[in-house]
Structure formats: structure tokens, C-alpha cells
Amino acid sequence: MDSQMDSVTITNGYWYYFNDQDVRITAHGSGYSGKETIYVNDEVVSDKRNLVKMNSCHKFCHLGNDYEVRFKVTSLMKATVECSLYRNNQHLATETKAFLSKENQSVKKQIFMCFLAGLVFGGLFVLFMESFSG
């Protein structure tokens, strides 16, 4: 596993890794386009785009087993996404990853600073425009 793909970023998205006996299942969710892709042993078995729903499901069959991978957004504020793997309707594993985590405090500060800058510059722009109109 690539350590760069282990952490969540806007460009890398969310990567989840599961092993079921000799079957390696990898799930990827894009951080900006909403495209979700499921790989079995590095071969794409399912992909779709999900831009508005808080959860989605990918079903596929491999070696006579019915698999299901479920994505669920559990926190919009932290951009936390939970990914679960099922085989023949039986839960095998769940991984949860977040864009904003305790280890990623600098991102929170950046978002807050951008919000604050937008607020200040927006307020200054309104004052500037009022001076021309009145």
C-alpha cells in the first residue's frame, strides 16, 4: 500500500483497503468529482459518480461470492466517510477516514483563515460599494 494513498487529500481522495481470503478489494472515492471506483485485485469491477447522496452502494460478484461495498458520509464538517465491505450479506470490515482529523489541525486553521478573510474582504467590499451608491 502506498503511504501517500493512506491519508485523505483533495487530490488523492479516500482510499480503503480490504482483504477477503486471497481477494484484495480496494475502494476509492474522489475528493472533488464524487467518482467512486471499486477494484478487485487491481481490476475495476464497479464505478459510478455520487455527488448528492450521503451514501452509496456497489454490488459485484467475484468467484461465486456476492460482494457489496458501501460508502457512507458520517460527518460533513470533518468530511468523514465510512466504507464497509460485505460478502454474501455478511459484514466483513469497515474503515473510516476523515479529511479533517485531529492530526490535520492545520487544515482547520486554513479553512478558518479563508472564511475570516472572505468575511473581512466581503465587508470591506460592501462598504466600498455603499460609498459609491449613496
Side-chain angles (χ1 to χ4, degrees), residues 72-123:
K72 181 179 179 183
V73 177
T74 57
S75 172
L76 286 174
M77 293 296 289
K78 293 182 180 179
T80 305
V81 179
E82 181 179 275
C83 184
S84 299
L85 175 67
Y86 294 82
R87 182 187 66 222
N88 301 324
N89 293 321
Q90 190 172 37
H91 179 259
L92 298 179
T94 297
E95 280 189 33
T96 303
K97 295 192 177 184
F99 180 67
L100 294 177
S101 62
K102 290 182 181 178
E103 299 84 31
N104 205 352
Q105 291 293 327
S106 64
V107 174
K108 283 184 181 180
K109 291 178 185 175
Q110 288 175 351
I111 291 172
F112 177 73
M113 293 306 289
C114 288
F115 173 76
L116 192 59
L119 197 62
V120 169
F121 287 114

Side-chain angles (χ1 to χ4, degrees), residues 2-3 6-7 10 12 18 34 37 43 51 62 65 68 80 97 100 107 110 112 114 118 124 126:
D2 187 356
S3 62
D6 194 34
S7 63
I10 292 295
N12 285 336
F18 303 102
T37 307
E43 183 178 323
L51 293 172
H62 183 73
N65 291 306
E68 187 175 340
T80 305
K97 295 192 177 184
L100 294 177
V107 174
Q110 288 175 351
F112 177 73
C114 288
L124 290 173
V126 168

Side-chain angles (χ1 to χ4, degrees), residues 39-78:
Y39 304 86
V40 173
N41 298 330
D42 299 326
E43 183 178 323
V44 176
V45 294
S46 178
D47 67 343
K48 62 175 133 177
R49 196 168 306 279
N50 181 14
L51 293 172
V52 293
K53 295 181 183 176
M54 297 287 283
N55 51 39
S56 67
C57 179
H58 296 260
K59 295 181 180 183
F60 58 94
C61 186
H62 183 73
L63 298 176
N65 291 306
D66 293 322
Y67 286 94
E68 187 175 340
V69 175
R70 297 179 189 169
F71 288 99
K72 181 179 179 183
V73 177
T74 57
S75 172
L76 286 174
M77 293 296 289
K78 293 182 180 179

